[in-house]
Amino acid sequence: MSGVVPVATHDPRPLVFITGASSGIGQALAARFHRAGWRLALAARRTAEIESWARASRLGADSYAIYSADVTDIASIVAAGEACIARQGLPDAVIANAGISIGMDTADRGDLDVLAQTFATNNIGMAATFHPFVAGMVARGSGRLVGIGSVAGIRGLPGHGAYCASKAGAIAYCESLRGELRPHGVQVVTLCPGYIDTPLTRQNRYGMPFLMAPDAFADKAFAAIEAGVSYRVIPWQMGVVAKLLRLLPNPLFDRLLTGRARKPRRPGASTPSS
């Protein structure tokens, strides 16, 4: 656990630390928390995009700080968390939002690297994001760690092996962490988005039912985090769909997905095996 000691702060506004804050869901969450009066600690590789957004949004200089971090580099994201504690204090909420989604074909040797990259970002990156804050939150007896999972983590989809497996792992990890930290007053919230209109989903070649705008997702997510729920699918309709898919017998599930378009793979990848 981190040995960083939170600095004293007299600012009564709560603080949220968000990774992947340069675009998409992360940026929408930052905007929603800011509207609610929270201070922001925003982490991403593309810090110039965050700074540009902050200026366009007319954020006050005392309402946010930006941290350069790559969640696939454990030392980098841990250092960003420690810098947040030293500069702004111990956050009230930490949102591990950074993630990637790339299609894969196990028959392609290069896609094993895609799998490794996906797990490094979506799983190791999530744990490394939480790490610097756990000891301080436990000592304080309060805090919320928010993991962004996905409906795709509820059941595996053809061509989505890396993403589905990583998000299933994220959901299970958050559930384990919730049991560990609950006795210490620290809440763990798992949010599973359905299809949200972001750069990550606009490349998809298949239908996306109940597609949701990022701002609408952020409103629902903010309410869930404020309420301290343990698990929520957003939008709720995708939660119903996911539960029905989970209940389908394997032969019926397999037939239902026959011929479904696959998630785009890395540039230059060969056609997926069938």
Side-chain angles (χ1 to χ4, degrees), residues 45 116 193 195-196 266:
R45 291 174 300 154
Y195 294 113
I196 312 300
R266 70 192 193 284

Side-chain angles (χ1 to χ4, degrees), residues 17-27 29 41-46 50 67-73 76-77 94-101 117-130 146-150 163 166-167 170 174 191 193 200 217:
F17 181 93
I18 305 173
T19 62
S22 58
S23 65
I25 286 176
Q27 192 175 93
L29 287 168
L42 306 176
R45 291 174 300 154
R46 299 177 298 164
I50 302 179
Y67 303 92
S68 176
D70 181 349
V71 299
T72 66
D73 181 338
S76 172
I77 186 59
V94 175
I95 305 177
N97 164 73
I100 60 172
S101 176
Q117 180 188 9
T118 303
F119 270 77
T121 306
N122 297 356
N123 302 93
I124 305 300
M126 178 179 288
T129 296
F130 291 156
V146 183
I148 303 297
S150 172
Y163 187 65
S166 72
K167 290 302 185 177
C174 287
L191 298 180
L200 201 65
F217 169 82

Side-chain angles (χ1 to χ4, degrees), residues 162-205:
Y163 187 65
C164 289
S166 72
K167 290 302 185 177
I171 292 168
Y173 165 73
C174 287
E175 187 168 45
S176 297
L177 190 63
R178 187 175 76 242
E180 295 168 16
L181 297 181
R182 186 174 59 84
H184 304 287
V186 180
Q187 298 174 318
V188 177
V189 177
T190 306
L191 298 180
C192 291
Y195 294 113
I196 312 300
D197 185 15
T198 68
L200 201 65
T201 58
R202 288 172 197 151
Q203 61 181 324
N204 291 340
R205 300 187 296 258

Side-chain angles (χ1 to χ4, degrees), residues 8-265:
T9 176
H10 302 292
D11 195 323
R13 294 174 296 173
L15 172 67
V16 60
F17 181 93
I18 305 173
T19 62
S22 58
S23 65
I25 286 176
Q27 192 175 93
L29 287 168
R32 182 64 184 85
F33 274 85
H34 179 260
R35 288 198 304 274
W38 288 56
R39 291 178 297 133
L40 307 176
L42 306 176
R45 291 174 300 154
R46 299 177 298 164
T47 56
E49 281 84 346
I50 302 179
E51 188 61 60
S52 177
W53 168 80
R55 286 197 303 267
S57 302
R58 300 182 183 277
L59 269 60
D62 65 341
S63 65
Y64 75 98
I66 299 173
Y67 303 92
S68 176
D70 181 349
V71 299
T72 66
D73 181 338
I74 293 176
S76 172
I77 186 59
V78 168
E82 292 174 343
C84 169
I85 295 171
R87 178 177 178 180
Q88 295 176 281
L90 183 66
D92 300 274
V94 175
I95 305 177
N97 164 73
I100 60 172
S101 176
I102 306 171
M104 73 167 290
D105 177 9
T106 303
D108 186 317
R109 168 60 185 84
D111 280 5
L112 298 183
D113 297 326
V114 168
L115 181 66
Q117 180 188 9
T118 303
F119 270 77
T121 306
N122 297 356
N123 302 93
I124 305 300
M126 178 179 288
T129 296
F130 291 156
H131 164 75
F133 307 108
V134 171
M137 286 185 172
V138 167
R140 186 178 61 191
S142 69
R144 288 175 186 151
L145 301 175
V146 183
I148 303 297
S150 172
V151 171
I154 297 174
R155 188 136 201 191
L157 304 172
H160 295 57
Y163 187 65
C164 289
S166 72
K167 290 302 185 177
I171 292 168
Y173 165 73
C174 287
E175 187 168 45
S176 297
L177 190 63
R178 187 175 76 242
E180 295 168 16
L181 297 181
R182 186 174 59 84
H184 304 287
V186 180
Q187 298 174 318
V188 177
V189 177
T190 306
L191 298 180
C192 291
Y195 294 113
I196 312 300
D197 185 15
T198 68
L200 201 65
T201 58
R202 288 172 197 151
Q203 61 181 324
N204 291 340
R205 300 187 296 258
Y206 42 81
M208 295 183 285
F210 310 112
L211 183 66
M212 195 174 201
D215 289 347
F217 169 82
D219 284 340
K220 300 291 186 184
F222 178 79
I225 295 167
E226 280 275 87
V229 302
S230 60
Y231 175 91
R232 182 159 294 172
V233 176
I234 302 171
W236 67 266
Q237 294 94 331
M238 282 304 296
V240 174
V241 171
K243 286 183 179 179
L244 291 175
L245 289 176
R246 184 70 266 174
L247 292 173
L248 283 180
N250 287 347
L252 182 56
F253 177 76
D254 293 344
R255 286 199 298 272
L256 180 66
L257 295 181
T258 299
R260 184 180 188 271
R262 298 189 176 195
K263 179 172 285 294
R265 294 164 66 218

